[in-house]
Amino acid sequence: MSTPDHVGSSSSGARILVFPYPTPGHIIALIDLTRLLLTRGLTVTVLVTPNHLPLLQPLLSSTHASTSIHPLVLSPPETPPNTNTSSLPGIVSSVCRYGALYTPILHWFNSHPSPPVAILSDIFLGWTHHLATNLGLPRLVFWPSGALTASLSNHMWRDLPKVGDPANQNSTVSFPGIPNFPTFPWWQISNTFRDFKEGDKDYEFFRDGMVANTRSWGLVFNSFTELERLYIDHLKCDLGHNRVWAVGPLLPPLDDVTGPANRGGSSSAPTDKLMAWLDSKPGDSVVYICFGSRVVLTSKQVEVLAAAIECSGVHFIWCVKKSGRGDAEGDAGFIPDGFEDRVGGRGFVIRGWAPQVTILRHRAVSVFVTHCGWNSVLEGLAAGVLMLTWPRGADQFTNAKLLVDQLGVGFRVCEGGEQNIPNLDELTGLLAESVGVNRAKREGVVRLHEEAWNAVNGGSSARDLDKLVKELNLLGASTFDS
C-alpha cells in the first residue's frame, strides 16, 4: 500500500483499542491493518496475550510507529479443571475463556487518563460490543474472512436455519436472501454451528457474540470491493447502514523486502536457500502446496498427494507440519519413505512455518494447492497464481466456491475431512496441467491480481481505509470537544 504523507503524525489522530483473536489466521491480518492505521496517524493500543507479543515486535521497533503503538498484555484465566468445557468445540471454549477479560479491560479503560475512542475487535470477540456499549463507545468488527462468509454467518447465527434431517450430512441448507442463492450440504457448514445447542450457556454466549457483530457500529473487511462487491452491498443493505469498509488485501507492500519473509513468524527453512532454489527454476513452473497453520492431512491423504507430485513431474514446494502425534487426525510432518530422494532437485520440503507471501510472489511459482483459508486466498490472488482447492472446514468451503464457481480462478482437488481421498490419476493430471493451464483461466487470475494491487494503491481499499480513519478521527475530535 502507498504510505500517506502524514506518517508519524500520531498526535493528531484518534486513539483506538485493537483486539485480535489470538490464532495465526486472525491475528496476522489485524496486525497488518494496525500497521496501516499507524501510518495514517492513529494511536493504537493492541491487546495481546504474552505468547503473541512477539508478533508486534516489527511494529514496536519501527522508527515511525514506535511512539504510536502500545501493547496491552493480558491473559485470560485458566479454565478450572472441573468444568465441562472439554466437551465443547475448541473455538467455543476459547471464546468463552476470552470473555473473562471483560472486567479487566473495563477497569483498564476506566483507569486510563486518555482512553481509546473506539474498539476494533475480531469477529470471535463479539462480547466486546457489550463492553463498548457499557463504555459508551463504538465497536467495529474486524472480519479476517470475506464478505460472503460474513453474510452467511450473520444469517446463520441470527436466524438459526435448520435442515430436514441433521443426521443426513448431505441434507442441504440454502440462503435465498444472499446473492447467488448459496446452497451447501450440511457437512460443509461450520461444525460450531452444526453442533450448536440451544439453551447451553457456553454455546449461547458464542452465539450472542456472533449476533452482536451484526449490531456493532461498523465492519472492517480484509477484502476488496472488486472481489466481493455483491456481498459488500448485501451487507450494507442487511445491516441498514454503510459503515462497511473493505480495506484488503492486508499484505506487506510489494516493495517490502523483509516483511513478507517474517510475516507471522520465522521461516522453518533458510530463506536464502529457499530463494536460491526458486531462482534456479523457470518462470511459472513451481507448484506451492500448503494447508495453513492448523489443517493436518491424514497419512492416506499425504500418500496420495506425494504419489501425485511424484508422478506429475512438476517442480514443487511442499509445506508440512513440523512434528506430529500419529493419531487419527493425521501424521504431521509425515512424508513417505524415499519420497525426497526420488523427486531429487525438483522439490523443496519445508517442515514448519513457511514464508508463504515471499514464496507466492516469486516469478517461478504458478500454482497454489491450498486449504482455502481466507488469508491464503488473498495471498494467492494478490500473487497472481492459480489455485487448486482442498477445503477442510470453517469458511474454506465458502471460499472455494467463490474461487471456483464464481471467479473461475481455481480447480477443485478434494473436499472435506479425513474420509475424503483425492483420486490419484485426477490429481496427477491436475498438477501437471495446472502449470500450463489454459489462457482463459490465467486471464482471470491476472485480472484479479491487478485489481487487488490497484485497490490498495489508491483504489477502492485505500479510499475505504481513508474513510475509516476519517470516521475514527471524527470520533476522537468529538470526545476531545466534550
Side-chain angles (χ1 to χ4, degrees), residues 69-329:
I69 181 170
H70 309 281
L72 172 60
V73 183
L74 293 175
S75 290
E78 293 298 323
T79 304
N82 60 344
T83 62
N84 67 346
T85 55
S86 60
S87 63
L88 296 171
I91 185 62
V92 175
S93 175
S94 176
V95 166
C96 291
R97 184 167 168 249
Y98 277 88
L101 289 177
Y102 182 107
T103 300
I105 298 172
L106 182 64
H107 287 163
W108 178 83
F109 263 93
N110 288 331
S111 62
H112 200 290
S114 181
V117 299
I119 297 173
L120 171 60
S121 58
D122 188 90
I123 55 168
F124 287 149
L125 304 170
W127 54 267
T128 58
H129 166 70
H130 305 302
L131 171 68
T133 301
N134 188 351
L135 290 164
L137 301 177
R139 181 252 175 164
L140 295 89
V141 189
F142 177 70
W143 274 91
S145 303
L148 170 56
T149 293
S151 300
L152 293 166
S153 176
N154 289 348
H155 280 264
M156 279 194 298
W157 290 109
R158 188 175 54 204
D159 305 332
L160 296 179
K162 303 290 194 298
V163 290
D165 181 10
N168 179 2
Q169 293 298 299
N170 289 315
S171 295
T172 58
V173 57
S174 300
F175 300 88
I178 297 176
N180 290 322
F181 201 124
T183 301
F184 298 88
W186 187 239
W187 64 272
Q188 289 189 1
I189 298 297
S190 163
N191 68 310
T192 307
F193 182 79
R194 295 200 316 268
D195 295 339
F196 175 70
K197 297 178 178 64
E198 291 189 61
D200 180 280
K201 68 178 182 64
D202 294 312
Y203 277 100
E204 292 289 359
F205 180 83
F206 182 88
R207 183 199 176 197
D208 178 77
M210 298 304 288
V211 173
N213 290 332
T214 69
R215 297 171 180 159
S216 292
W217 184 75
L219 282 73
V220 184
F221 281 96
N222 183 17
S223 187
F224 56 103
T225 300
E226 293 76 11
L227 181 66
E228 296 194 284
R229 187 184 305 273
L230 264 180
Y231 304 109
I232 292 169
D233 289 345
H234 166 76
L235 283 166
K236 291 176 180 179
C237 221
D238 185 49
L239 299 175
H241 62 76
N242 289 325
R243 294 185 298 277
V244 178
W245 299 280
V247 299
L250 294 167
L251 295 170
L254 283 171
D255 57 0
D256 186 344
V257 178
T258 59
N262 298 320
R263 187 170 181 258
S266 299
S267 173
S268 300
T271 304
D272 55 349
K273 182 180 178 183
L274 176 60
M275 289 299 104
W277 185 88
L278 280 169
D279 288 343
S280 71
K281 299 296 178 281
D284 292 330
S285 68
V286 175
V287 176
Y288 173 59
I289 304 157
C290 184
F291 293 89
S293 58
R294 304 184 71 178
V295 172
V296 178
L297 300 182
T298 66
S299 298
K300 181 61 179 173
Q301 289 169 335
V302 169
E303 287 173 2
V304 172
L305 178 55
I309 292 169
E310 189 173 344
C311 294
S312 68
V314 297
H315 300 296
F316 68 93
I317 295 174
W318 188 0
C319 179
V320 298
K321 297 293 180 291
K322 191 171 184 179
S323 61
R325 302 187 300 266
D327 58 14
E329 294 183 5

Side-chain angles (χ1 to χ4, degrees), residues 404-415:
V404 177
D405 298 336
Q406 297 185 31
L407 301 175
V409 294
F411 294 95
R412 285 188 175 83
V413 168
C414 190
E415 287 187 323

